[in-house]
């Protein structure tokens, strides 16, 4: 899993490394959609 | 979520501690994140207003970001251990528990479970904030086992790459070859791969960063807290330089963080 993440990373850019599971990805989508709804 | 229970009745205000009333009137208590947060820092009463950290300390800057990013400061508990960080963390208007050296994640496991039993209808966030020594050296086993058990709380490691509070000994997170006051021959091995360890141990959200971008830093903290509430352990590994032990002049601290981000604070 970690190696996959490394492959995706652009060479020479180390500013921010983030790893999340698929479950976490889904959760953040829901949270951000909620936020957008509140703003609009 | 309603935060009305934090707001005191007007007639009782004068009997309450002044600081608490000010945090309700002018601070983040009972307010939405959009009204306070990192974007509005400097315009409201912050949770950490004073601290005894060194001049130009990058760690104290990041600690201010942590507290400004909390989604629910009224219902948050922080746990720390010996090290520079706890000097500022303990000054915040958020309950702080001081663990014996390195046992912050073991304590957080118990407190998280107790909160879920005692307050099943309320979301209580538990965050452990400790240095690289407390988290990856002396507290290593307790940190790892909390992750293996999938305890639902956030772990933040303030990595200054040295034991700054005790005179400058090398830590597991010091870079290879680092010459420090108490390790004059230089370190013989490289940084411990904290991020890989966290992923292997089962953390659902892991970030490694140097907090040069305030919004990005805040977003990572909030994401880690949200994921910890619902899914499992989360971990943030953050570079917070020690300008005293690494002899970084105060005006150059930000530049150092930028350089570190691009060069060596990576795999």
């Amino acid at each position: 899993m970690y190696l996959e993440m490394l492959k995706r990373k652009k060479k020479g850019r180390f500013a921010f490394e983030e790893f999340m599971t698929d479950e976490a990805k889904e959760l953040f989508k829901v949270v951000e959609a909620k936020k957008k709804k509140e703003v609009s | 979520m309603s935060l009305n229970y934090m707001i005191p009745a007007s007639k009782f205000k004068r009997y309450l501690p002044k600081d608490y009333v000010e945090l309700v009137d002018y601070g983040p208590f009972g307010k939405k994140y959009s009204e306070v947060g990192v974007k509005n820092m400097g315009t409201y009463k912050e949770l950490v207003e004073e601290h005894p950290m060194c001049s130009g300390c990058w760690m104290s800057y990041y600690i201010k970001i942590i507290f400004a990013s909390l989604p629910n400061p009224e219902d948050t508990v922080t746990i720390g251990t010996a090290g520079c960080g706890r000097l500022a963390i303990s000054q915040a208007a958020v309950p702080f528990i001081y663990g014996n050296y390195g046992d912050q994640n073991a304590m957080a496991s118990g407190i998280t479970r107790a909160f879920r039993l005692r307050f099943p209808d309320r979301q209580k966030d538990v965050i452990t904030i400790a240095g690289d020594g407390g988290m990856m050296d002396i507290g290593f086993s307790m940190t790892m086992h909390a992750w293996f058990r999938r305890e639902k709380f956030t772990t933040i490691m303030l990595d200054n790459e040295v034991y700054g509070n005790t005179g400058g000994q090398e830590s597991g997170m010091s870079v290879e070859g680092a010459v420090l006051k108490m390790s004059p021959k230089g370190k013989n091995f490289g940084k411990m791969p904290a991020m890989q360890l966290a992923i292997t141990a089962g953390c659902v959200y892991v970030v490694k960063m140097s907090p040069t971008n305030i919004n990005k830093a805040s977003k990572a903290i909030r994401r880690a807290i949200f994921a910890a509430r619902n899914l499992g352990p989360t971990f943030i590994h953050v570079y917070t330089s020690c300008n005293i032990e690494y002899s970084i002049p105060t005006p150059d601290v930000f530049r150092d963080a930028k350089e570190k981000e691009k060069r060596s604070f990576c795999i």
Side-chain angles (χ1 to χ4, degrees), chain B residues 62-197:
Chain B
Y62 185 70
I63 288 169
K64 285 191 89 150
I65 297 177
I66 295 175
F67 284 103
S69 309
L70 296 179
N72 206 1
E74 303 89 343
D75 283 319
T76 302
V77 171
T78 56
I79 301 167
T81 188
C84 296
R86 49 101 194 182
L87 297 170
I89 301 160
S90 58
Q91 302 297 314
V94 167
F96 169 74
I97 300 168
Y98 183 83
N100 281 327
Y101 209 107
D103 74 352
Q104 68 283 341
N105 277 36
M107 285 178 72
S109 306
I111 290 164
T112 309
R113 291 181 191 190
F115 276 160
R116 277 165 206 256
L117 287 172
R118 175 67 183 81
F119 304 102
D121 56 336
R122 205 182 292 172
Q123 186 59 59
K124 294 267 188 187
D125 298 320
V126 176
I127 305 170
T128 62
I129 311 168
D132 45 320
M135 205 68 84
M136 280 291 143
D137 288 352
I138 297 160
F140 183 68
S141 64
M142 283 168 272
T143 304
M144 291 300 289
H145 278 275
W147 290 342
F148 282 127
R149 289 194 304 268
R150 306 281 167 106
E151 302 286 355
K152 290 180 177 175
F153 62 85
T154 303
T155 303
I156 299 177
M157 178 166 77
L158 309 168
D159 179 10
N160 59 3
E161 302 184 332
V162 65
Y163 281 86
N165 213 15
T166 49
Q169 294 83 0
E170 67 175 45
S171 81
M173 300 307 293
S174 302
V175 292
E176 190 167 3
V179 176
L180 296 154
K181 284 176 194 161
M182 296 284 183
S183 58
K185 287 184 177 175
K187 199 185 169 200
N188 290 329
F189 58 97
K191 270 174 98 80
M192 289 168 70
M195 192 177 184
Q196 287 109 310
L197 287 167

Side-chain angles (χ1 to χ4, degrees), chain A residues 1-2 5-6 9 14-21 23-24 27-28 31-32, chain B residues 195-196 199 203-209 223 226-227 230-231 261-262 266-267:
Chain A
M1 209 187 294
Y2 192 67
M5 193 186 76
L6 279 178
K9 216 150 55 76
F14 298 107
F16 187 76
E17 288 180 43
E18 193 177 41
F19 163 85
M20 61 183 94
T21 58
E23 278 177 318
L27 178 79
F28 298 145
V31 170
E32 259 150 49
Chain B
M195 192 177 184
Q196 287 109 310
I199 294 168
C203 286
V204 296
Y205 181 71
V206 185
V207 166
K208 184 180 183 185
M209 70 181 303
R223 277 187 160 189
F226 285 132
N230 299 294
L231 303 172
E261 186 178 47
K262 284 178 187 160
C266 58
I267 305 142

Side-chain angles (χ1 to χ4, degrees), chain B residues 233-255:
Chain B
T234 55
F235 176 56
I236 298 177
H237 176 189
V238 65
Y239 173 70
T240 55
S241 67
C242 180
N243 57 328
I244 301 298
E245 294 302 333
Y246 278 91
S247 305
I248 307 163
T250 301
D252 294 339
V253 169
F254 185 72
R255 200 175 65 195

